[in-house]
Amino acid sequence: MTGIDEYLRGFGEETGYLDYGRLGPLAAVVQDELRLQVDLLGRARYGAVDALLGQDERMRTAVASLVGFAPENIVSQPNTSMGLMHAMFSMTGGLLLSAGDFPSLTVAASRAAESMQVLVPTWLETDHGRVTPHTIKQQLTPAITAVAVSLVDTRTGYLADLDGIRQVIGERLLIVDAIQGFGVVDAPYEVADVIASGGQKWVRAGWGTGFLALSDRALDHLVPVVSGYTGTDDDEPWDAVPPPSRSARAYSVANPDYSAEARLAAALEEIGSVGIAEIEATVSDRVGEALELADEFGISVASPRAAHERAGIVILDPPDDQVALLVASLHNHGVTTTLRQNRIRLSVHAGTTSETLGMLRDSFVSFSTAIAY
C-alpha cells in the first residue's frame, strides 16, 4: 500500500500551481514510467514489443479497479472527447443533456445527430448551470433514452449526484464525462453505463491517456460505427471482415498508444494503492482552505461549498470591474489559474501545498489593497 504522504511527495510542480482542471503536471510515478517506456522504445531490446503490448491489459485492469467495470468492458481512447464521440455516434433515441456543458459532450451529441440522424439531443434547462436529479426529472419524457452529464462541471465546480440521477432516469443510459473528477472523486461509477475520461488532468498521467468504459447494458444498446480492425474478436482478421466485437474493444480503430496506457496505469495503480477516499478527503481539506481565504477577503465564490457537492474546483466570481485586478494580482504572485467567462477557476489538488495557498493569500492581499483605493 502507498500512504497518502508518499503520494503527496509525487507532486513536483512549481509552487503556486492551481490549474489541475486544465493540466495536471506529471506524477513522479508517471515520470518514472515514461522514462522506462522511452528506454523500451529507444533500445527495442529482445521482448520489448511484448512488454509494450501487455500495457493494454494493465491499463484496463487499473481502470477497472477504480470504476468497478470488468476489464473487457474498457477500451483505450486518446482522450475523453473521442470516447464520447464513439458513444454518441453509436446511439439512437433521445438524449437529454445541458447545452452549457463542456463542448466535448455537446459537440459530440450535435455531430452525431447531424450525421447519423438517429440521435435527438434535448437541451436541459439547468439549475444555474448545475445538472441535478430534480431538473432532469422535470424534463424527462418517454422519448428520452439516455442522459449525459459531467461528473464535475468545469464552469461551476458542481459534483453531479450520479446515484440520484440513476434513481430518476430508471433504465435509461447514463453517460458520464468524468474528466474533471476522475482520480479525486470516490464516485459511484457502477451506476453509469458510459464513462469517458482522460488522465491528463487530476490523474496527472499526461495527454493521450483516455479510456471508454461501457456497461453490459450500453454494449447491448450501442451499435459501433467507427470500429477498426482491432475492434473485432480476431487479432488480425485476414481474408475476411468479421463483425465488431461484442465487448468494448469494438470501439477501437487501431492499436493504442501503449506507452500512454502505461502512464495511465502507473498513475491509477498509485491512486488505487493510496485509496481514492483518502485522496478525496485530502482534496476536500485543501478546497476548504481555499474557500476560507476567499471569504477572508470578501471574494465571491460561485462554486458549491457543501463537501458532497464539490470536488477540486473553486470558482471565484468577483464583480466584473474587479476581475482584471484579481487576475493581475494572481499573475504577479505566480499563481497559475484559468480565467473563463469572467470567472477565475482555482483547481486545488491533494498535493496543493501550504506555500501555494500562502501565495494565493498574498495575491488576495494585493487585490484587496488595490480595490481599496
Side-chain angles (χ1 to χ4, degrees):
M1 292 291 290
T2 301
I4 187 67
D5 291 337
E6 185 178 348
Y7 172 73
L8 297 180
R9 284 194 289 272
F11 286 75
E13 49 268 34
E14 293 290 327
T15 306
Y17 193 82
L18 290 172
D19 212 9
Y20 300 92
R22 182 168 56 170
L23 174 67
L26 297 182
V29 293
V30 173
Q31 295 180 49
D32 291 341
E33 188 68 45
L34 180 57
R35 283 187 282 267
L36 175 61
Q37 295 302 315
V38 169
D39 184 67
L40 280 174
L41 287 170
R43 295 176 182 269
R45 294 189 183 95
Y46 181 79
V49 174
D50 289 336
L52 285 169
L53 295 178
Q55 299 306 318
D56 184 67
E57 183 178 359
R58 179 189 176 194
M59 180 279 294
R60 291 185 291 106
T61 299
V63 173
S65 69
L66 288 188
V67 302
F69 285 39
E72 60 267 24
N73 287 46
I74 297 162
V75 62
S76 179
Q77 298 292 306
N79 46 56
T80 309
S81 295
M82 187 55 71
L84 291 172
M85 281 284 188
H86 269 299
M88 298 299 183
F89 272 76
S90 304
M91 289 179 56
T92 60
L95 173 67
L96 185 64
L97 74 165
S98 167
D101 218 321
F102 192 79
S104 288
L105 272 172
T106 59
V107 171
S110 296
R111 296 290 183 265
E114 294 161 0
S115 300
M116 307 302 293
Q117 311 230 334
V118 291
L119 179 67
V120 182
T122 297
W123 303 109
L124 179 75
E125 293 292 331
T126 65
D127 177 9
H128 300 92
R130 303 178 183 189
V131 177
T132 68
H134 179 69
T135 57
I136 290 172
K137 183 176 182 179
Q138 287 185 316
Q139 296 169 66
L140 279 178
T141 68
I144 300 298
T145 59
V147 172
V149 63
S150 287
L151 176 61
V152 178
D153 183 73
T154 189
R155 290 198 293 190
T156 67
Y158 177 70
L159 173 61
D161 178 3
L162 297 187
D163 271 330
I165 292 173
R166 167 53 69 197
Q167 292 176 24
V168 163
I169 69 174
E171 295 300 307
R172 297 173 175 88
L173 293 184
L174 175 55
I175 301 166
V176 179
D177 175 348
I179 185 65
Q180 288 293 3
F182 186 64
V184 293
V185 173
D186 190 12
Y189 291 114
E190 67 278 2
V191 305
D193 294 293
V194 177
I195 304 168
S197 189
Q200 79 274 20
K201 297 181 187 288
W202 303 89
V203 173
R204 300 149 56 236
W207 278 295
T209 54
F211 70 87
L212 178 66
L214 301 168
S215 70
D216 290 341
R217 178 167 46 195
L219 288 170
D220 287 341
H221 179 85
L222 302 181
V223 178
V225 173
V226 183
S227 184
Y229 81 95
T230 57
T232 73
D233 288 323
D234 297 345
D235 288 337
E236 291 185 348
W238 295 97
D239 303 319
V241 179
S245 172
R246 291 297 303 161
S247 72
R249 68 181 293 172
Y251 298 89
S252 68
V253 175
N255 288 319
D257 182 339
Y258 295 109
S259 295
E261 288 188 315
R263 286 187 277 118
L264 179 59
L268 297 185
E269 287 161 359
E270 181 182 48
I271 289 170
S273 181
V274 176
I276 190 67
E278 185 85 9
I279 294 171
E280 182 181 47
T282 306
V283 171
S284 183
D285 289 343
R286 299 289 185 271
V287 168
E289 294 178 62
L291 289 170
E292 288 176 4
L293 286 175
D295 291 343
E296 179 182 350
F297 292 92
I299 299 173
S300 178
V301 173
S303 50
R305 292 178 174 274
H308 70 281
E309 292 185 341
R310 71 184 194 220
I313 290 176
V314 176
I315 305 295
L316 303 180
D317 188 24
D320 288 348
D321 61 351
Q322 296 178 7
V323 172
L325 280 173
L326 182 50
V327 169
S329 185
L330 290 163
H331 173 79
N332 291 339
H333 287 83
V335 181
T336 305
T337 64
T338 287
L339 174 66
R340 180 170 286 157
Q341 295 177 323
N342 235 28
R343 288 179 169 179
I344 299 163
R345 185 183 69 191
L346 312 179
S347 301
V348 184
H349 210 308
T352 297
T353 62
S354 298
E355 290 77 13
T356 290
L357 292 173
M359 292 170 66
L360 181 64
R361 188 181 195 284
D362 290 342
S363 70
F364 288 173
V365 169
S366 297
F367 166 70
S368 298
T369 301
I371 62 175
Y373 287 96

